[in-house]
Amino acid sequence: MAGGNCTQVSEFMLTGFSDSPEIQAPLFVVFLLIYVTALVGNLGMILIVRLDSQLRTPMYFFLSNLSFIDLCYSTVVAPKMLADLLAERKAISYTACAIQICVFSQFDVMECFLLAAMAYDRYVAICHPLLYRVVMCPRLCVQLVAGSFLVGCVNVIAQTTGMLTLTFCGSNVIDLFFCDISPLLSLASSDSRVNHILLLVLASLTGVFTGLVGVCIFVYILGRGQKCRSQPGRKPGFTSCVSWLIVTECFLLAGTGLFIYLQPSTKYSRDQDKVVSVFYTVVTPMLNPLIYSLRNKEVKAALRLTISFPRLFLSS
């Protein structure tokens, strides 16, 4: 418990990955390339979906929103992480730390529920193709995205309200490369048991619920996989569902998020958190547009058309 002479810390120190300059320089180059690839890939996906009328379908509507989310929450983390790799003093103010936690939590939770909506979209498209345009109408698609945003807002409000009741008078060192709610709670001088319980409940509801929705739909579709593969018109949807559902939903997002927030907090677990956090904060936003563009003929065709259009215009 905090004493009466408690002096609230005004900034936190991030440990980052390592203090060795020999390691920080290569890490800066690697993460810069990953971040630039994520920016180009996600911006490209958004522009392609906007410019190509053939891609104005529910699936690509969700993909463009997913790219926007990946773009936002990777930008919340990556620029500060890159700057700290070149800085000797890795400090972040209390206000900036709180903002980073809120914005990152908003888009992280929003992506979880958006992926569950994408799983439902693929379920309807593959298992009920004749009803697809009726069920997945534009109104429902907008409602699913808006619902994901509202759930993210509820999560942020709950965490922010609990965080504002805490005092930080002792150590101000966050053993991570960005401000996250879990290591921040361990630094609180006041009683944070309620906050830990709230974090466990929110993480379980978000990760477990959306993960189970995606896995159950995937298993159901997989059970009808032979029938889907035997029909040429439904094979691309099945292939796309398998690729993004396995890689993104099951392993990179739901799995890594649950691993970080539901495990006990120890020094060894914090070292693991740094590795795991890199995947769902930096690597996943880079992989998503690559998976969709490389595995999807429609996106590749739209990309070729978008690239060739300026050339045709100039040559004419």
Side-chain angles (χ1 to χ4, degrees):
M1 297 294 292
N5 59 347
C6 171
T7 301
Q8 181 82 357
V9 300
S10 59
E11 65 178 13
F12 296 98
M13 303 300 297
L14 303 173
T15 60
F17 296 97
S18 174
D19 294 330
S20 174
E22 293 79 9
I23 298 178
Q24 291 188 14
L27 285 177
F28 175 82
V29 175
V30 171
F31 288 135
L32 179 62
L33 292 175
I34 293 175
Y35 179 56
V36 171
T37 304
L39 286 179
V40 174
N42 286 292
L43 283 174
M45 178 66 72
I46 295 173
L47 291 175
I48 289 173
V49 173
R50 296 290 183 182
L51 295 176
D52 196 321
S53 60
Q54 300 297 322
L55 300 182
R56 292 173 186 172
T57 62
M59 182 179 72
Y60 295 108
F61 173 75
F62 290 130
L63 284 179
S64 62
N65 280 276
L66 181 64
S67 293
F68 175 76
I69 293 173
D70 285 338
L71 189 66
C72 290
Y73 87 74
S74 63
T75 301
V76 172
V77 175
K80 174 61 177 173
M81 178 186 67
L82 292 171
D84 286 343
L85 285 172
L86 300 178
E88 295 183 2
R89 190 171 184 270
K90 304 175 178 62
I92 183 171
S93 67
Y94 177 87
T95 302
C97 183
I99 292 174
Q100 189 177 60
I101 290 175
C102 292
V103 177
F104 179 79
S105 298
Q106 168 69 39
F107 289 109
D108 189 30
V109 172
M110 188 177 177
E111 177 160 352
C112 288
F113 282 89
L114 183 62
L115 286 170
M118 291 172 64
Y120 176 71
D121 170 75
R122 292 298 85 202
Y123 161 75
V124 177
I126 295 167
C127 300
H128 304 285
L130 298 179
L131 299 176
Y132 180 68
R133 293 190 177 276
V134 177
V135 176
M136 300 304 299
C137 59
R139 181 180 179 181
L140 178 61
C141 295
V142 173
Q143 288 175 343
L144 290 173
V145 174
S148 301
F149 177 79
L150 291 177
V151 173
C153 290
V154 172
N155 175 76
V156 169
I157 292 173
Q159 290 193 10
T160 303
T161 302
M163 188 172 64
L164 292 177
T165 62
L166 300 176
T167 56
F168 301 91
C169 307
S171 174
N172 67 336
V173 178
I174 297 178
D175 193 11
L176 203 60
F177 58 90
F178 72 104
C179 277
D180 198 13
I181 186 65
S182 181
L184 188 66
L185 292 180
S186 64
L187 300 180
S189 303
S190 55
D191 189 0
S192 60
R193 286 177 295 181
V194 175
N195 301 81
H196 280 288
I197 294 174
L198 180 63
L199 177 62
L200 291 176
V201 171
L202 292 175
S204 300
L205 290 177
T206 301
V208 175
F209 173 75
T210 58
L212 284 177
V213 169
V215 170
C216 290
I217 291 177
F218 168 70
V219 171
Y220 183 81
I221 293 175
L222 190 63
R224 300 184 56 175
Q226 188 62 39
K227 181 178 179 181
C228 291
R229 286 192 293 268
S230 65
Q231 300 181 16
R234 293 162 70 181
K235 184 176 179 180
F238 178 78
T239 303
S240 175
C241 177
V242 171
S243 63
W244 71 258
L245 188 57
I246 291 180
V247 177
T248 306
E249 179 84 52
C250 299
F251 296 111
L252 294 182
L253 191 65
T256 54
L258 292 175
F259 175 83
I260 288 177
Y261 294 116
L262 300 186
Q263 68 170 335
S265 179
T266 63
K267 178 63 173 67
Y268 176 69
S269 69
R270 286 300 173 206
D271 292 337
Q272 290 180 319
D273 287 352
K274 294 181 182 181
V275 178
V276 177
S277 297
V278 169
F279 281 93
Y280 82 93
T281 58
V282 182
V283 177
T284 300
M286 177 196 67
L287 289 179
N288 281 341
L290 295 178
I291 292 171
Y292 306 139
S293 60
L294 294 178
R295 301 275 305 192
N296 195 303
K297 294 181 179 180
E298 293 177 333
V299 174
K300 288 189 288 187
L303 179 60
R304 286 193 295 266
L305 181 62
T306 303
I307 295 175
S308 62
F309 179 77
R311 297 178 180 176
L312 294 176
F313 178 78
L314 292 174
S315 62
S316 62

PDB file of all heavy atoms in Angstrom, residues 77 89 105 115 135 142 150 152 167 172 179 181 190 219 222 231 238 240 255 257 296 304 307-309 314:
ATOM      1  N   VAL A  77       2.755   1.190 -31.488  1.00  0.00           N
ATOM      2  CA  VAL A  77       3.895   0.560 -30.812  1.00  0.00           C
ATOM      3  C   VAL A  77       5.211   0.769 -31.555  1.00  0.00           C
ATOM      4  O   VAL A  77       6.237   1.140 -30.961  1.00  0.00           O
ATOM      5  CB  VAL A  77       3.625  -0.952 -30.630  1.00  0.00           C
ATOM      6  CG1 VAL A  77       4.852  -1.645 -30.046  1.00  0.00           C
ATOM      7  CG2 VAL A  77       2.411  -1.170 -29.759  1.00  0.00           C
ATOM      8  N   ARG A  89      18.255   6.663 -23.411  1.00  0.00           N
ATOM      9  CA  ARG A  89      17.264   6.752 -22.326  1.00  0.00           C
ATOM     10  C   ARG A  89      15.877   6.449 -22.891  1.00  0.00           C
ATOM     11  O   ARG A  89      15.330   7.217 -23.662  1.00  0.00           O
ATOM     12  CB  ARG A  89      17.290   8.155 -21.713  1.00  0.00           C
ATOM     13  CG  ARG A  89      16.481   8.286 -20.438  1.00  0.00           C
ATOM     14  CD  ARG A  89      16.734   9.648 -19.786  1.00  0.00           C
ATOM     15  NE  ARG A  89      16.037   9.762 -18.512  1.00  0.00           N
ATOM     16  CZ  ARG A  89      14.797  10.243 -18.389  1.00  0.00           C
ATOM     17  NH1 ARG A  89      14.133  10.640 -19.476  1.00  0.00           N
ATOM     18  NH2 ARG A  89      14.229  10.321 -17.199  1.00  0.00           N
ATOM     19  N   SER A 105      -5.126  -1.284 -26.666  1.00  0.00           N
ATOM     20  CA  SER A 105      -6.180  -2.194 -26.207  1.00  0.00           C
ATOM     21  C   SER A 105      -7.423  -2.076 -27.073  1.00  0.00           C
ATOM     22  O   SER A 105      -8.087  -3.073 -27.372  1.00  0.00           O
ATOM     23  CB  SER A 105      -6.524  -1.899 -24.734  1.00  0.00           C
ATOM     24  OG  SER A 105      -5.411  -2.104 -23.894  1.00  0.00           O
ATOM     25  N   LEU A 115     -12.113 -10.547 -36.384  1.00  0.00           N
ATOM     26  CA  LEU A 115     -11.747 -11.855 -36.917  1.00  0.00           C
ATOM     27  C   LEU A 115     -12.855 -12.873 -36.696  1.00  0.00           C
ATOM     28  O   LEU A 115     -13.085 -13.740 -37.544  1.00  0.00           O
ATOM     29  CB  LEU A 115     -10.439 -12.336 -36.264  1.00  0.00           C
ATOM     30  CG  LEU A 115      -9.171 -11.638 -36.741  1.00  0.00           C
ATOM     31  CD1 LEU A 115      -7.998 -12.012 -35.854  1.00  0.00           C
ATOM     32  CD2 LEU A 115      -8.870 -11.986 -38.186  1.00  0.00           C
ATOM     33  N   VAL A 135     -27.876 -12.823 -46.182  1.00  0.00           N
ATOM     34  CA  VAL A 135     -27.443 -12.780 -44.781  1.00  0.00           C
ATOM     35  C   VAL A 135     -26.397 -11.700 -44.557  1.00  0.00           C
ATOM     36  O   VAL A 135     -26.518 -10.853 -43.667  1.00  0.00           O
ATOM     37  CB  VAL A 135     -26.905 -14.164 -44.350  1.00  0.00           C
ATOM     38  CG1 VAL A 135     -26.359 -14.097 -42.921  1.00  0.00           C
ATOM     39  CG2 VAL A 135     -27.991 -15.209 -44.460  1.00  0.00           C
ATOM     40  N   VAL A 142     -21.667  -3.554 -41.527  1.00  0.00           N
ATOM     41  CA  VAL A 142     -21.370  -2.333 -40.786  1.00  0.00           C
ATOM     42  C   VAL A 142     -21.647  -2.537 -39.294  1.00  0.00           C
ATOM     43  O   VAL A 142     -20.885  -2.074 -38.432  1.00  0.00           O
ATOM     44  CB  VAL A 142     -22.191  -1.161 -41.338  1.00  0.00           C
ATOM     45  CG1 VAL A 142     -22.024   0.077 -40.459  1.00  0.00           C
ATOM     46  CG2 VAL A 142     -21.775  -0.847 -42.763  1.00  0.00           C
ATOM     47  N   LEU A 150     -17.312  -0.947 -30.509  1.00  0.00           N
ATOM     48  CA  LEU A 150     -17.952  -0.670 -29.221  1.00  0.00           C
ATOM     49  C   LEU A 150     -17.417  -1.583 -28.123  1.00  0.00           C
ATOM     50  O   LEU A 150     -17.212  -1.138 -26.985  1.00  0.00           O
ATOM     51  CB  LEU A 150     -19.471  -0.820 -29.348  1.00  0.00           C
ATOM     52  CG  LEU A 150     -20.186   0.241 -30.192  1.00  0.00           C
ATOM     53  CD1 LEU A 150     -21.669  -0.061 -30.301  1.00  0.00           C
ATOM     54  CD2 LEU A 150     -19.965   1.635 -29.609  1.00  0.00           C
ATOM     55  N   GLY A 152     -14.454  -2.845 -28.042  1.00  0.00           N
ATOM     56  CA  GLY A 152     -13.143  -2.298 -27.725  1.00  0.00           C
ATOM     57  C   GLY A 152     -13.235  -1.086 -26.812  1.00  0.00           C
ATOM     58  O   GLY A 152     -12.426  -0.933 -25.895  1.00  0.00           O
ATOM     59  N   THR A 167      -1.902   4.077  -7.767  1.00  0.00           N
ATOM     60  CA  THR A 167      -0.793   4.998  -7.542  1.00  0.00           C
ATOM     61  C   THR A 167       0.511   4.274  -7.836  1.00  0.00           C
ATOM     62  O   THR A 167       0.647   3.077  -7.582  1.00  0.00           O
ATOM     63  CB  THR A 167      -0.780   5.509  -6.092  1.00  0.00           C
ATOM     64  OG1 THR A 167      -0.740   4.392  -5.186  1.00  0.00           O
ATOM     65  CG2 THR A 167      -2.012   6.350  -5.809  1.00  0.00           C
ATOM     66  N   ASN A 172       9.704   2.515 -11.474  1.00  0.00           N
ATOM     67  CA  ASN A 172       9.027   2.978 -12.685  1.00  0.00           C
ATOM     68  C   ASN A 172       9.568   2.294 -13.934  1.00  0.00           C
ATOM     69  O   ASN A 172       9.432   2.804 -15.046  1.00  0.00           O
ATOM     70  CB  ASN A 172       9.163   4.499 -12.828  1.00  0.00           C
ATOM     71  CG  ASN A 172      10.610   4.917 -13.093  1.00  0.00           C
ATOM     72  OD1 ASN A 172      11.549   4.199 -12.760  1.00  0.00           O
ATOM     73  ND2 ASN A 172      10.785   6.087 -13.699  1.00  0.00           N
ATOM     74  N   CYS A 179       4.345   0.215 -23.447  1.00  0.00           N
ATOM     75  CA  CYS A 179       3.476   0.226 -22.272  1.00  0.00           C
ATOM     76  C   CYS A 179       2.318  -0.740 -22.480  1.00  0.00           C
ATOM     77  O   CYS A 179       1.506  -0.559 -23.398  1.00  0.00           O
ATOM     78  CB  CYS A 179       2.937   1.641 -22.028  1.00  0.00           C
ATOM     79  SG  CYS A 179       4.079   2.698 -21.134  1.00  0.00           S
ATOM     80  N   ILE A 181      -0.705  -3.097 -20.156  1.00  0.00           N
ATOM     81  CA  ILE A 181      -1.420  -3.040 -18.890  1.00  0.00           C
ATOM     82  C   ILE A 181      -0.897  -4.052 -17.876  1.00  0.00           C
ATOM     83  O   ILE A 181      -0.806  -3.768 -16.678  1.00  0.00           O
ATOM     84  CB  ILE A 181      -2.944  -3.243 -19.120  1.00  0.00           C
ATOM     85  CG1 ILE A 181      -3.729  -3.052 -17.823  1.00  0.00           C
ATOM     86  CG2 ILE A 181      -3.212  -4.605 -19.733  1.00  0.00           C
ATOM     87  CD1 ILE A 181      -3.678  -1.658 -17.284  1.00  0.00           C
ATOM     88  N   SER A 190      -0.413   0.843  -4.887  1.00  0.00           N
ATOM     89  CA  SER A 190      -1.690   0.559  -4.236  1.00  0.00           C
ATOM     90  C   SER A 190      -2.162  -0.844  -4.599  1.00  0.00           C
ATOM     91  O   SER A 190      -1.559  -1.533  -5.433  1.00  0.00           O
ATOM     92  CB  SER A 190      -2.729   1.604  -4.661  1.00  0.00           C
ATOM     93  OG  SER A 190      -2.824   1.658  -6.072  1.00  0.00           O
ATOM     94  N   VAL A 219     -13.597 -25.754 -37.614  1.00  0.00           N
ATOM     95  CA  VAL A 219     -13.774 -27.205 -37.536  1.00  0.00           C
ATOM     96  C   VAL A 219     -15.007 -27.636 -38.319  1.00  0.00           C
ATOM     97  O   VAL A 219     -14.993 -28.649 -39.021  1.00  0.00           O
ATOM     98  CB  VAL A 219     -13.876 -27.649 -36.064  1.00  0.00           C
ATOM     99  CG1 VAL A 219     -14.285 -29.116 -35.959  1.00  0.00           C
ATOM    100  CG2 VAL A 219     -12.544 -27.430 -35.352  1.00  0.00           C
ATOM    101  N   LEU A 222     -14.136 -27.386 -41.935  1.00  0.00           N
ATOM    102  CA  LEU A 222     -13.180 -28.439 -42.274  1.00  0.00           C
ATOM    103  C   LEU A 222     -13.877 -29.778 -42.443  1.00  0.00           C
ATOM    104  O   LEU A 222     -13.485 -30.590 -43.288  1.00  0.00           O
ATOM    105  CB  LEU A 222     -12.101 -28.538 -41.192  1.00  0.00           C
ATOM    106  CG  LEU A 222     -10.899 -29.429 -41.498  1.00  0.00           C
ATOM    107  CD1 LEU A 222     -10.134 -28.876 -42.701  1.00  0.00           C
ATOM    108  CD2 LEU A 222      -9.991 -29.523 -40.283  1.00  0.00           C
ATOM    109  N   GLN A 231     -16.378 -28.551 -55.347  1.00  0.00           N
ATOM    110  CA  GLN A 231     -17.130 -27.538 -56.094  1.00  0.00           C
ATOM    111  C   GLN A 231     -16.181 -26.389 -56.406  1.00  0.00           C
ATOM    112  O   GLN A 231     -15.758 -25.673 -55.499  1.00  0.00           O
ATOM    113  CB  GLN A 231     -18.319 -27.034 -55.268  1.00  0.00           C
ATOM    114  CG  GLN A 231     -19.286 -28.165 -54.917  1.00  0.00           C
ATOM    115  CD  GLN A 231     -20.478 -27.661 -54.126  1.00  0.00           C
ATOM    116  OE1 GLN A 231     -20.737 -26.465 -54.090  1.00  0.00           O
ATOM    117  NE2 GLN A 231     -21.203 -28.576 -53.513  1.00  0.00           N
ATOM    118  N   PHE A 238     -12.809 -21.571 -49.349  1.00  0.00           N
ATOM    119  CA  PHE A 238     -12.323 -22.528 -48.365  1.00  0.00           C
ATOM    120  C   PHE A 238     -10.841 -22.342 -48.116  1.00  0.00           C
ATOM    121  O   PHE A 238     -10.369 -22.343 -46.980  1.00  0.00           O
ATOM    122  CB  PHE A 238     -12.619 -23.950 -48.848  1.00  0.00           C
ATOM    123  CG  PHE A 238     -12.106 -25.017 -47.916  1.00  0.00           C
ATOM    124  CD1 PHE A 238     -12.794 -25.314 -46.761  1.00  0.00           C
ATOM    125  CD2 PHE A 238     -10.938 -25.702 -48.200  1.00  0.00           C
ATOM    126  CE1 PHE A 238     -12.325 -26.286 -45.900  1.00  0.00           C
ATOM    127  CE2 PHE A 238     -10.467 -26.676 -47.340  1.00  0.00           C
ATOM    128  CZ  PHE A 238     -11.168 -26.968 -46.187  1.00  0.00           C
ATOM    129  N   SER A 240      -8.986 -19.627 -48.608  1.00  0.00           N
ATOM    130  CA  SER A 240      -8.748 -18.368 -47.910  1.00  0.00           C
ATOM    131  C   SER A 240      -9.088 -18.481 -46.435  1.00  0.00           C
ATOM    132  O   SER A 240      -8.368 -17.984 -45.572  1.00  0.00           O
ATOM    133  CB  SER A 240      -9.580 -17.260 -48.560  1.00  0.00           C
ATOM    134  OG  SER A 240      -9.459 -16.065 -47.848  1.00  0.00           O
ATOM    135  N   GLY A 255      -3.864 -16.882 -29.500  1.00  0.00           N
ATOM    136  CA  GLY A 255      -2.899 -17.655 -28.721  1.00  0.00           C
ATOM    137  C   GLY A 255      -1.890 -16.791 -28.006  1.00  0.00           C
ATOM    138  O   GLY A 255      -1.651 -16.951 -26.802  1.00  0.00           O
ATOM    139  N   GLY A 257      -2.054 -13.518 -27.332  1.00  0.00           N
ATOM    140  CA  GLY A 257      -2.694 -12.633 -26.359  1.00  0.00           C
ATOM    141  C   GLY A 257      -3.016 -13.344 -25.060  1.00  0.00           C
ATOM    142  O   GLY A 257      -2.750 -12.840 -23.962  1.00  0.00           O
ATOM    143  N   ASN A 296      -4.665 -14.952 -52.680  1.00  0.00           N
ATOM    144  CA  ASN A 296      -5.953 -14.568 -53.250  1.00  0.00           C
ATOM    145  C   ASN A 296      -5.766 -14.071 -54.670  1.00  0.00           C
ATOM    146  O   ASN A 296      -5.089 -13.065 -54.912  1.00  0.00           O
ATOM    147  CB  ASN A 296      -6.583 -13.472 -52.366  1.00  0.00           C
ATOM    148  CG  ASN A 296      -8.044 -13.288 -52.659  1.00  0.00           C
ATOM    149  OD1 ASN A 296      -8.425 -13.013 -53.787  1.00  0.00           O
ATOM    150  ND2 ASN A 296      -8.876 -13.437 -51.636  1.00  0.00           N
ATOM    151  N   ARG A 304      -2.432  -5.962 -59.872  1.00  0.00           N
ATOM    152  CA  ARG A 304      -1.831  -5.796 -61.200  1.00  0.00           C
ATOM    153  C   ARG A 304      -2.551  -4.719 -61.991  1.00  0.00           C
ATOM    154  O   ARG A 304      -1.912  -3.925 -62.698  1.00  0.00           O
ATOM    155  CB  ARG A 304      -1.850  -7.131 -61.957  1.00  0.00           C
ATOM    156  CG  ARG A 304      -0.831  -8.138 -61.449  1.00  0.00           C
ATOM    157  CD  ARG A 304      -0.697  -9.287 -62.426  1.00  0.00           C
ATOM    158  NE  ARG A 304      -1.939 -10.049 -62.518  1.00  0.00           N
ATOM    159  CZ  ARG A 304      -2.200 -11.145 -61.803  1.00  0.00           C
ATOM    160  NH1 ARG A 304      -1.304 -11.594 -60.924  1.00  0.00           N
ATOM    161  NH2 ARG A 304      -3.329 -11.786 -61.947  1.00  0.00           N
ATOM    162  N   ILE A 307      -1.564  -1.276 -60.607  1.00  0.00           N
ATOM    163  CA  ILE A 307      -0.206  -0.893 -60.985  1.00  0.00           C
ATOM    164  C   ILE A 307      -0.113  -0.538 -62.460  1.00  0.00           C
ATOM    165  O   ILE A 307       0.583   0.404 -62.849  1.00  0.00           O
ATOM    166  CB  ILE A 307       0.782  -2.029 -60.643  1.00  0.00           C
ATOM    167  CG1 ILE A 307       0.841  -2.222 -59.128  1.00  0.00           C
ATOM    168  CG2 ILE A 307       2.169  -1.730 -61.193  1.00  0.00           C
ATOM    169  CD1 ILE A 307       1.691  -3.394 -58.706  1.00  0.00           C
ATOM    170  N   SER A 308      -0.843  -1.284 -63.305  1.00  0.00           N
ATOM    171  CA  SER A 308      -0.751  -1.065 -64.749  1.00  0.00           C
ATOM    172  C   SER A 308      -1.578   0.120 -65.221  1.00  0.00           C
ATOM    173  O   SER A 308      -1.320   0.664 -66.293  1.00  0.00           O
ATOM    174  CB  SER A 308      -1.206  -2.326 -65.506  1.00  0.00           C
ATOM    175  OG  SER A 308      -2.579  -2.619 -65.211  1.00  0.00           O
ATOM    176  N   PHE A 309      -2.545   0.569 -64.446  1.00  0.00           N
ATOM    177  CA  PHE A 309      -3.427   1.665 -64.890  1.00  0.00           C
ATOM    178  C   PHE A 309      -2.654   2.960 -65.123  1.00  0.00           C
ATOM    179  O   PHE A 309      -2.847   3.614 -66.157  1.00  0.00           O
ATOM    180  CB  PHE A 309      -4.541   1.902 -63.864  1.00  0.00           C
ATOM    181  CG  PHE A 309      -5.476   3.012 -64.239  1.00  0.00           C
ATOM    182  CD1 PHE A 309      -6.460   2.827 -65.210  1.00  0.00           C
ATOM    183  CD2 PHE A 309      -5.380   4.268 -63.651  1.00  0.00           C
ATOM    184  CE1 PHE A 309      -7.310   3.846 -65.567  1.00  0.00           C
ATOM    185  CE2 PHE A 309      -6.227   5.298 -63.998  1.00  0.00           C
ATOM    186  CZ  PHE A 309      -7.202   5.078 -64.973  1.00  0.00           C
ATOM    187  N   LEU A 314      -0.415   6.972 -68.978  1.00  0.00           N
ATOM    188  CA  LEU A 314       0.702   7.752 -69.482  1.00  0.00           C
ATOM    189  C   LEU A 314       0.998   7.436 -70.942  1.00  0.00           C
ATOM    190  O   LEU A 314       1.373   8.303 -71.738  1.00  0.00           O
ATOM    191  CB  LEU A 314       1.945   7.497 -68.625  1.00  0.00           C
ATOM    192  CG  LEU A 314       1.877   8.033 -67.183  1.00  0.00           C
ATOM    193  CD1 LEU A 314       3.092   7.603 -66.395  1.00  0.00           C
ATOM    194  CD2 LEU A 314       1.737   9.554 -67.178  1.00  0.00           C
TER     195      LEU A 314
END
